[in-house]
Amino acid sequence: MLDRIIMITLVSGTNRPNSWTRKVVEVYKNQLDEKGIDYQILDLMHLPKNLFDIEMYGNKDIEFAELEAKILFPTTKYVFVIPEYNGSFPGVLKLLIDGSDIKNSFHHKKAALVGVSDGRAGNLRGMDDLTNVLNHMRINVLHCKIPVSSVSKQFDKNGDFISPETLKLINHQIDLLVAM
């Protein structure tokens, strides 16, 4: 039993509706439920619309300030599930990071990365790019990164996850993240 609260936030790293990324987040959610580990989900599809306004760098919108206070600040560990967008990760995730209070949202926290792609590399480049950004923000990134390649083939026609090998890796990654 852990003697401190570990607040894990699963980040669905795209604002695209009905994404494979969100489906992979659900796999993590199910595994965390099975392990009895508390978590929350930050789905970038539900970011405040005015986050895209240039005023985000000045006076923060109340809705975004609440998101920081309720989700980002209390988080101690992140699982970033990021799809491949043009050989990297989505700009909306970078916008979230850039608009945040970096020190309170990210400094000295931990992160695990999951790359999602329908291609064969599972967004390896995007995970490398995000690792560099996170390391710059003083986040300790777990060495065990999971590339989910050919993501559409990882689910059956009913939407159930069918890859036992990937599920084993996911559970290993979760265990390592909790132990960090």
Side-chain angles (χ1 to χ4, degrees):
M1 189 71 161
L2 298 170
D3 59 355
R4 61 188 167 87
I5 295 174
I6 298 173
M7 174 57 74
I8 295 176
T9 297
L10 301 172
V11 179
S12 181
T14 180
N15 58 348
R16 180 173 287 170
N18 303 312
S19 68
W20 289 111
T21 300
R22 188 61 167 93
K23 290 177 170 106
V24 172
V25 166
E26 288 296 314
V27 174
Y28 272 79
K29 172 190 171 301
N30 294 338
Q31 295 312 299
L32 289 168
D33 283 340
E34 282 186 21
K35 292 174 179 287
I37 299 170
D38 291 331
Y39 62 90
Q40 60 187 346
I41 296 174
L42 175 56
D43 190 333
L44 299 190
M45 198 173 92
H46 303 296
L47 287 176
K49 299 300 180 223
N50 53 5
L51 178 64
F52 299 97
D53 191 316
I54 60 169
E55 294 299 316
M56 71 180 250
Y57 297 107
N59 297 324
K60 282 202 175 137
D61 169 72
I62 292 170
E63 193 177 355
F64 188 71
E66 286 176 3
L67 180 144
E68 283 182 311
K70 290 180 182 175
I71 296 177
L72 300 178
F73 295 172
T75 294
T76 59
K77 298 180 181 188
Y78 290 95
V79 176
F80 290 96
V81 182
I82 56 169
E84 180 180 348
Y85 278 31
N86 301 310
S88 190
F89 62 91
V92 69
L93 177 56
K94 185 68 165 76
L95 184 64
L96 169 77
I97 291 168
D98 291 345
S100 299
D101 174 337
I102 298 299
K103 185 176 181 181
N104 290 314
S105 297
F106 300 109
H107 275 196
H108 309 293
K109 297 185 180 187
K110 316 284 192 248
L113 303 184
V114 185
V116 176
S117 171
D118 215 18
R120 61 186 173 145
N123 198 14
L124 291 173
R125 279 193 192 139
M127 287 192 288
D128 285 346
D129 289 348
L130 185 56
T131 296
N132 289 333
V133 170
L134 297 176
N135 285 164
H136 181 77
M137 295 185 313
R138 302 178 187 171
I139 291 180
N140 186 359
V141 178
L142 182 65
H143 70 278
C144 179
K145 300 173 189 172
I146 299 178
V148 181
S149 305
S150 303
V151 67
S152 63
K153 295 177 183 167
Q154 303 270 347
F155 294 85
D156 66 17
K157 63 181 178 179
N158 298 320
D160 295 322
F161 196 69
I162 58 171
S163 175
E165 300 86 14
T166 304
L167 196 57
K168 183 178 178 184
L169 282 172
I170 288 170
N171 279 297
H172 178 64
Q173 185 189 52
I174 289 170
D175 291 344
L176 290 172
L177 181 65
V178 169
M180 280 179 91

